[in-house]
């Protein structure tokens, strides 16, 4: 495009400094710099999450304590880490967009709650959260924040006595309908869509990238590796999310008070 700068970081930074409706989809790569493993590719380490006996309703019904303990092990790891520069940059971007009458919709596949701990608000958790538990019988939910001690047995529901399960979405389970609807609406309506730290292979989350493309949004990915979407994007920035996002939001920095 005439007048657009060649360097992708400068180009996307320019787009970010003028956009009003921005949607961001994050994946495990955004939490990698906090020390949490990703699911696939280099550094992956969520061994077992693919194991249906550990991450499925049937697996939970057959052995609730075993499934509960595996997820409590993940929650214990989350409690030991802190948000990184990527989480902080996205929280800051939300504040700056809001300050100029714009809106950031932050959509995450992550279940670690690190976006919220960095200060992001209204985070759409497509795959639920390790920091909540819910009852499959009566749908009651309880908080399981990082301050809640790790337990070895699935706690009983206060409403009906059934064992509570982690409030995460396992493969083959529907995503939370209202959360997904809000994510779809923002992907369809945004001017700029950033896909950050995701291999974009899990659906329907990855389908949001298709939706943004079809809706005419400038669609960008930030990832040290290419993905299946790379050839279709307006920009694909190779690098770690923490460094790249901090540089991207620079042009959005509010003017220094006179
Ligand atoms: C559903 C919670 C229907 C669990 C997770 C065939 C084709 C297409 C789809 C399907 C299919 N067969 C089945 C399906 C559907 C299935 C699916 O998509 N399967 C895929 C794998 C083929 N999807 C589902 O089952 C979903 N449900 O479809 O339900 C339905 C409808 C109505 C009624 C009933 C049913 C449910 C999907 C949710 C599954 N849950 N996790 C738990 O943890 O216990 S998925 C898991 O993958 C995590 O949530 C994770 O977030 C998600 C996506 O992974 P990523 O976040 O992208 O992580 P990954 O490791 O893959 O990539 C990390 C990236 O970061 C890499 O690219 C790396 O290069 C990059 N990176 C590394 N370091 C950095 C970095 N980037 C930036 N900076 C860095 N420093
Ligand atoms: Zn119950």
């Amino acid at each position: 495009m005439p007048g657009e700068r060649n360097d992708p970081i400068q180009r996307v930074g320019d787009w970010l400094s003028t956009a009003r409706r921005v949607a961001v989809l994050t994946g495990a790569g955004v939490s990698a710099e906090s020390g949490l493993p990703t699911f696939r590719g280099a550094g992956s380490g969520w061994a077992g999450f693919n194991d249906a006996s550990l991450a499925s309703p049937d697996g939970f019904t057959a052995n609730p304590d075993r499934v509960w303990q595996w997820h409590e092990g993940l929650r214990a790891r989350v409690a030991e880490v802190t948000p990184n520069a990527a989480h902080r940059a996205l929280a800051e971007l939300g504040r700056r967009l809001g300050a100029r009458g714009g809106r950031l919709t932050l959509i995450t596949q992550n279940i670690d709650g690190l976006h919220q701990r960095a200060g992001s608000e209204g985070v759409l958790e497509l795959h639920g959260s390790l920091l909540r538990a819910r009852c499959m019988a009566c749908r009651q939910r309880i908080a399981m924040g990082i301050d809640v001690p790790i337990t070895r047995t699935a706690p009983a529901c206060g409403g009906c006595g059934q064992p509570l399960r982690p409030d995460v979405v396992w493969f083959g389970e529907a995503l939370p309908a209202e959360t997904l609807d809000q994510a779809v609406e923002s992907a369809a309506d945004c001017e700029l869509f950033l896909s950050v730290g995701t291999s974009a292979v899990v659906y329907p989350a990855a389908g949001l990238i298709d939706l943004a493309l079809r809706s005419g949004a400038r669609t960008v990915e930030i990832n040290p590796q290419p993905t299946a979407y790379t050839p279709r994007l307006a920009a694909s920035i190779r690098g770690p999310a923490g460094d790249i996002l901090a540089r991207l939001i620079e042009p959005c920095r509010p003017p220094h008070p006179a």
Side-chain angles (χ1 to χ4, degrees):
M1 298 280 277
E4 287 200 333
R5 297 197 278 185
N6 280 332
D7 173 85
I9 291 186
Q10 289 179 331
R11 197 160 75 242
V12 176
D14 289 347
W15 296 341
L16 208 45
S17 64
T18 55
R20 298 179 70 77
R21 300 183 315 283
V22 177
V24 178
L25 172 69
T26 64
V30 160
S31 296
E33 292 161 68
S34 291
L36 290 182
T38 59
F39 288 81
R40 302 163 187 89
S44 60
W46 290 72
F49 94 98
N50 244 332
D51 177 343
S53 71
L54 278 173
S56 73
D58 294 344
F60 179 75
T61 305
N63 192 335
D65 287 348
R66 179 166 177 260
V67 172
W68 179 265
Q69 285 164 22
W70 185 73
H71 285 79
E72 282 289 84
L74 300 181
R75 190 168 70 91
R77 292 185 74 164
V78 168
E80 289 160 5
V81 303
T82 53
N84 65 61
H87 300 107
R88 290 193 296 274
L90 289 170
E92 179 60 22
L93 176 62
R95 286 188 288 271
R96 291 181 189 172
L97 274 168
R100 66 168 193 247
R103 190 184 69 242
L104 170 67
T105 305
L106 181 51
I107 308 158
T108 190
Q109 300 169 88
N110 299 341
I111 58 176
D112 57 33
L114 287 176
H115 283 303
Q116 291 91 328
R117 285 173 59 193
S120 287
E121 296 178 351
V123 179
L124 299 178
E125 295 178 312
L126 294 180
H127 296 160
S129 174
L130 279 171
L131 308 186
R132 290 189 304 271
R134 68 178 163 88
C135 176
M136 289 208 286
C138 74
R139 311 188 69 74
Q140 212 173 66
R141 272 185 170 80
I142 63 167
M144 289 293 294
I146 57 173
D147 52 330
V148 173
I150 300 300
T151 58
R152 292 193 53 75
T153 57
C157 170
C160 70
Q162 288 297 308
L164 294 178
R165 59 165 278 181
D167 189 18
V168 299
V169 180
W170 289 321
F171 282 110
E173 290 191 309
L175 275 61
E178 190 182 330
T179 304
L180 181 57
D181 288 349
Q182 289 176 299
V184 164
E185 190 180 329
S186 70
D189 175 52
C190 68
E191 305 160 56
L192 180 60
F193 187 96
L194 305 183
S195 171
V196 188
T198 180
S199 58
V201 297
V202 173
Y203 289 81
L208 296 171
I209 307 169
D210 290 296
L211 180 54
L213 285 165
R214 283 201 309 276
S215 307
R218 280 182 167 133
T219 307
V220 174
E221 82 184 343
I222 298 167
N223 194 321
Q225 304 291 330
T227 69
Y229 285 93
T230 301
R232 299 167 54 195
L233 303 177
S236 182
I237 302 175
R238 290 279 163 279
D243 167 54
I244 302 294
L245 285 170
R247 291 162 64 189
L248 282 182
I249 69 168
E250 264 310 303
C252 309
R253 188 173 292 284
H256 288 291

